Amino acid sequence: MTNNPHFPLMLTPLKLRHNELKNRVIMGAMHTRLEAAPNGAQRLAEFYAERAKGGVGLIITGGYAPNMAGHLEMNGPILNERAQIDDHQIITNAVHEAGGKILLQILHTGRYGGTLKTVAPSAIRAPISPLTPKALEPAQVEQTISDFSTCAQLAHDAGYDGVEIMGSEGYLINQFTAARTNQRDDKWGGSADNRHRFPLEIVRAIRANIPDEFIIMYRISSLELVEDGATGKEILSLAKDIEQAGADILSTGIGWHEARIPTIAYMVPRGTWSFAAKRIKDAVNIPVVASNRLNTPETVEEVLREGHGDLAYLARPLLADPDFVNKAAAGERDQINICIACNQACLDYIFKAKTATCLVNPRAGQESALQITPAEHPKRIAVIGGGSAGMAAASIAGARGHTVILFEASEQLGGQLQLARKVPGKDEFDELLRYFKNQLDTHNVEIRTGVAANVQMIMDENFDEIIIATGVTPRQIELDGIDHAKTVTYTQILSGEKNCGDNVAIIGAGGIGFDVADFLSVLKSDDRSPKAFLSDWGVDQGLEIKGGLSPQGPSLEQSPRQITLLQRTSGKPGRSLGFTTGWALMKALKRRGVNILTGVTYEHIVDEGLQIELEGEKTIIPADTIVICAGQESQTSLHEELSMAGVSTHIIGGAAQAGELDALRAISQGYNLALKL
Ligand code: NAP
Ligand code: SF4
């Protein structure tokens, strides 16, 4: 063990075959789409090199297909020809020069593929894909094994320290190992031994053709969370056989992409899944890597201390802060920018075919374009508004050597983040608030809370630059009876200024309407432990049940109040929610009995509740509280007054644009503006 006083287990080196990893933190595979961007290899090299410099023990690339049929999408990442090696060498050289080690992940999507060439063990369409795959012929199965081996050979020649074979998350290898997707009656299907043959042959083929020091990591599906998925016993048997076949290390994946249990979203408590890694660790003699929702050094240290894994696999937390390991080692835990598990700028961006970045770290993926350099002419800058846009602008301006004064009208910094942190699971925003406050302090930003800046005050202080980040106010709506005592705004509810009765109608089913429904439908005694999460979502921790889904299914939680969430537009509710998190929130609300009505016309607020028209009929939603979640309006009065006084300003965040207000855009605008001043 190291004698580092902060996180001794996390920082202990590990011998791996003929290599030594300098600590137990692995930057896990994550698709970024950077390779598809102009100058992609160079940008990937900068992206990974920055993480290597930040001290991470090992980096795994995003997945590369071993052949055309394994593509995620047309022109997706692939390594199947020698001509592609040059680009990879740019990456491996950069990482090695930065003192890091890097493995290439080989990922064959199977039926999750987005091209017409999609194949699988059997011709069964995935519930999350519009494409039915072609069943692989026996000769094609052999060829695919050979393609994995060729890909590993090319990775070796490109300078990678090894490969990770993606056998998890429901991709092709997983489709072979599970009866759910493998209905073959040849030697590749039927019994568990037959279903396991495909990954075992892949590992053997790679080991046979590669020099001894080359690392083979196998990502094993440690809990499938789908019907007819593998039992725990089958998984342990596969793990032992994979070790025998020649793998050096096992990383553990949780859940297939088509699983309907959230595995990495904000509502999943930290460290929830490490029990599944422990089962494997207890069964094999090679190191095992725990994964999913390990976003802080404390969580990693605890997982290692509890013996749930030998290493930890962190993907998004290294997007959020490339210096995660070095800061932890230096005793600077408070300076780490922690991933809040929102998925907004990483996974949700990937699904929108955009390049991944990070809500809390806009530099992610733009390492050379967004350099924080000292200002040529240090200035005196006023930032008005201490929400996410203002805090981002002030801290980056301060980091560049400007003299910055941050005005905040309320008694505390945070703006909308102070409300968001009240939503179940979004208490991860506390980490962002803590990070910003430390950054402001480190960069000597003068903070004036409880000061509502006005024109005279700003003009008196002779600022060189004025940044308006005054945020938003809840939109007031016109409706008969809106002044009724039972009407409240979402800010009053989330801030605790007002309480709710037993029957609640929520006007507006945007992101905040859903968050308010979530906030109001959990019990005050809500247990946020991993154990409670697993029980609520119906996860069985035994070894016998297929897919790890308990026969009782998810528990029916009882909301402490009757809640109706309403929207005027017809069509599916929840469309504005995050692609990778919204479905889980919808499921949780359904379990708690929250009623969602679409296509309604609001008529009056009356003593009994909210009168609406729905499908041509008038009805009253009984309610003793009506919460208005109808979006926001920009707070621009100071901006306008300064303009009228002839003072020029920069306007960012919700003050610039209230529609589709979100922390991602606010932080990124603050950050980018401060780099230009
Ligand atoms: P929003 O997403 O714009 O939703 C407000 C909803 O209020 C609209 O969808 C609209 O729905 C309704 N509305 C607007 N004007 C109205 C009026 N005059 N009368 C009655 N209803 C009216 O705003 P938000 O919910 O406040 O969210 C703000 C931002 O934060 C959004 O960008 C959102 O995506 C983001 N956010 C996201 C999440 C998440 O993804 N989980 C959580 C929180 C916030 P109808 O017209 O259909 O009724
Ligand atoms: Fe984490 Fe959100 Fe950043 Fe993704 S966008 S890495 S989930 S903080």
Side-chain angles (χ1 to χ4, degrees):
M1 205 202 293
T2 54
N3 52 12
N4 185 296
H6 306 293
F7 300 98
L9 297 173
M10 182 178 98
L11 298 167
T12 298
L14 177 86
K15 271 221 157 308
L16 191 61
R17 208 160 182 87
H18 305 294
N19 299 272
E20 183 173 276
L21 307 186
K22 54 188 170 194
N23 55 57
R24 306 302 177 100
V25 180
I26 297 182
M27 176 172 178
M30 195 161 171
H31 190 36
T32 58
R33 292 182 65 87
L34 278 172
E35 68 290 323
N39 209 11
Q42 189 56 41
R43 281 181 67 183
L44 270 175
E46 287 158 4
F47 173 74
Y48 289 129
E50 186 149 321
R51 273 84 195 154
K53 274 187 212 130
V56 69
L58 180 66
I59 292 169
I60 321 288
T61 67
Y64 283 81
N67 60 29
M68 294 295 282
H71 255 166
L72 198 58
E73 57 190 356
M74 286 297 282
N75 304 319
I78 184 165
L79 180 57
N80 64 342
E81 287 174 10
R82 197 146 283 279
Q84 296 150 346
I85 283 184
D86 289 354
D87 271 358
H88 286 274
Q89 277 171 339
I90 299 172
I91 296 168
T92 55
N93 286 340
V95 170
H96 291 149
E97 276 163 27
K101 290 191 187 298
I102 183 163
L103 311 187
L104 177 116
Q105 188 190 69
I106 312 177
L107 182 154
H108 190 305
T109 52
R111 67 181 194 159
Y112 287 165
T115 74
L116 295 175
K117 293 191 167 148
T118 298
V119 295
S122 305
I124 307 169
R125 186 176 65 80
I128 55 170
S129 170
L131 302 168
T132 301
K134 288 202 174 66
L136 285 162
E137 297 294 335
Q140 292 174 310
V141 177
E142 305 276 2
Q143 183 58 48
T144 306
I145 293 168
S146 168
D147 292 339
F148 269 85
S149 174
T150 304
C151 182
Q153 183 68 56
L154 292 169
H156 170 267
D157 297 350
Y160 287 101
D161 300 285
V163 287
E164 181 186 52
I165 302 163
M166 176 39 129
S168 176
E169 266 87 352
Y171 291 114
L172 180 71
I173 291 179
N174 232 183
Q175 293 158 28
F176 268 94
T177 55
R180 172 182 177 83
T181 37
N182 184 345
Q183 296 179 353
R184 301 178 73 97
D185 54 12
D186 58 8
K187 69 176 184 175
W188 306 104
S191 67
D193 282 349
N194 277 359
R195 284 183 271 115
H196 293 173
R197 193 184 306 278
F198 182 66
L200 293 174
E201 290 299 324
I202 289 173
V203 176
R204 288 185 192 120
I206 293 177
R207 187 86 276 163
N209 284 325
I210 221 75
D212 208 32
E213 71 278 4
F214 197 68
I215 299 167
I216 300 181
M217 177 185 279
Y218 183 88
R219 186 158 177 83
I220 189 165
S221 181
S222 62
L223 190 65
E224 315 230 291
L225 304 179
V226 287
E227 280 169 26
D228 245 347
T231 63
K233 279 190 171 163
E234 283 179 9
I235 291 166
L236 297 189
S237 154
L238 176 63
K240 289 182 205 163
D241 291 345
I242 291 282
E243 176 182 11
Q244 289 303 315
D248 303 304
I249 177 167
L250 292 172
S251 62
T252 54
I254 304 288
W256 290 32
H257 287 315
E258 66 207 61
R260 292 294 88 186
I261 294 176
T263 56
I264 59 168
Y266 63 88
M267 65 280 282
V268 182
R270 295 172 180 173
T272 290
W273 306 108
S274 63
F275 78 90
K278 180 178 170 24
R279 301 198 303 209
I280 294 176
K281 179 172 152 52
D282 290 346
V284 299
N285 298 306
I286 51 178
V288 172
V289 191
S291 74
N292 288 37
R293 286 296 276 128
L294 307 176
N295 64 335
T296 69
E298 294 82 10
T299 319
V300 172
E301 192 74 5
E302 190 185 335
V303 163
L304 300 177
R305 192 182 316 111
E306 296 287 319
H308 287 192
D310 300 291
L311 304 98
Y313 200 89
L314 282 64
R316 298 170 302 165
L318 272 299
L319 265 187
D321 197 330
D323 296 319
F324 181 99
V325 176
N326 282 351
K327 287 178 182 172
E332 294 169 358
R333 159 64 172 92
D334 271 0
Q335 300 289 349
I336 300 179
N337 201 357
I338 296 289
C339 164
I340 58 171
C342 64
N343 287 356
Q344 260 182 265
C346 50
L347 290 185
D348 287 351
Y349 266 28
I350 295 298
F351 282 103
K352 288 180 195 157
K354 289 166 133 180
T355 306
T357 180
C358 173
L359 181 143
V360 303
N361 174 24
R363 266 196 87 224
Q366 303 205 65
E367 280 66 25
S368 58
L370 299 184
Q371 298 277 356
I372 302 174
T373 50
E376 270 181 44
H377 306 289
K379 296 177 181 170
R380 206 174 135 70
I381 298 179
V383 179
I384 300 154
S388 39
M391 291 191 292
S395 56
I396 299 296
R400 298 189 60 221
H402 294 299
T403 299
V404 185
I405 297 167
L406 175 60
F407 296 86
E408 166 57 40
S410 74
E411 292 300 331
Q412 54 181 0
L413 295 177
Q416 300 290 307
L417 299 183
Q418 291 289 1
L419 300 175
R421 62 182 281 275
K422 301 285 180 60
V423 175
K426 293 196 177 178
D427 46 0
E428 288 286 8
F429 274 111
D430 286 348
E431 293 280 3
L432 184 56
L433 284 164
R434 185 256 323 137
Y435 173 75
F436 272 135
K437 285 177 188 163
N438 283 325
Q439 287 293 299
L440 295 169
D441 188 40
T442 303
H443 301 305
N444 301 315
V445 172
E446 182 186 331
I447 299 168
R448 298 188 192 165
T449 46
V451 178
N454 59 41
V455 175
Q456 197 57 50
M457 197 186 280
I458 298 299
M459 289 179 77
D460 285 351
E461 292 207 37
N462 276 331
F463 289 106
D464 301 308
E465 306 279 357
I466 297 158
I467 300 176
I468 304 284
T470 40
V472 293
T473 44
R475 175 179 288 127
Q476 315 253 340
I477 63 169
E478 284 178 22
L479 180 63
D480 276 354
I482 192 75
D483 294 330
H484 198 288
K486 63 176 64 185
T487 308
V488 295
T489 63
Y490 70 87
T491 56
Q492 289 172 317
I493 291 300
L494 291 174
S495 67
E497 184 190 326
K498 294 247 167 115
N499 290 321
C500 262
D502 292 339
N503 291 297
V504 182
I506 301 174
I507 291 187
I512 289 178
F514 271 94
D515 275 356
V516 168
D518 195 10
F519 174 77
L520 292 175
S521 61
V522 288
L523 293 169
K524 274 270 175 283
S525 58
D526 185 34
D527 180 354
R528 291 268 306 134
S529 67
K531 199 167 160 237
F533 174 89
L534 294 170
S535 149
D536 284 352
W537 285 88
V539 178
D540 182 89
Q541 295 185 56
L543 291 172
E544 305 290 343
I545 295 185
K546 287 181 183 175
L549 297 179
S550 85
Q552 298 80 31
S555 61
L556 278 178
E557 296 169 53
Q558 197 51 56
S559 165
R561 37 180 82 85
Q562 183 60 49
I563 298 170
T564 309
L565 178 58
L566 304 108
Q567 74 177 36
R568 297 174 301 183
T569 38
S570 48
K572 220 169 152 221
R575 278 172 301 181
S576 66
L577 300 177
F579 184 78
T580 58
T581 50
W583 63 268
L585 176 55
M586 297 272 291
K587 251 188 130 189
L589 295 186
K590 195 170 171 197
R591 277 209 329 265
R592 294 183 213 136
V594 172
N595 185 24
I596 304 180
L597 297 180
T598 64
V600 306
T601 304
Y602 307 119
E603 296 201 323
H604 314 280
I605 293 174
V606 291
D607 286 343
E608 298 79 25
L610 175 64
Q611 180 169 318
I612 59 167
E613 188 185 300
L614 180 62
E615 293 172 352
E617 291 201 7
K618 292 186 189 308
T619 176
I620 290 181
I621 310 287
D624 31 35
T625 309
I626 295 169
V627 191
I628 310 296
C629 301
Q632 295 80 21
E633 278 155 7
S634 297
Q635 213 166 10
T636 55
S637 52
L638 182 60
H639 170 67
E640 284 151 18
E641 288 165 23
L642 285 166
S643 297
M644 278 166 61
V647 180
S648 76
T649 59
H650 308 272
I651 183 161
I652 56 172
Q657 190 185 344
E660 293 178 21
L661 153 92
D662 63 45
L664 168 59
R665 200 182 62 219
I667 292 172
S668 148
Q669 280 183 353
Y671 200 105
N672 281 287
L673 172 62
L675 288 183
K676 290 187 194 125
L677 297 178

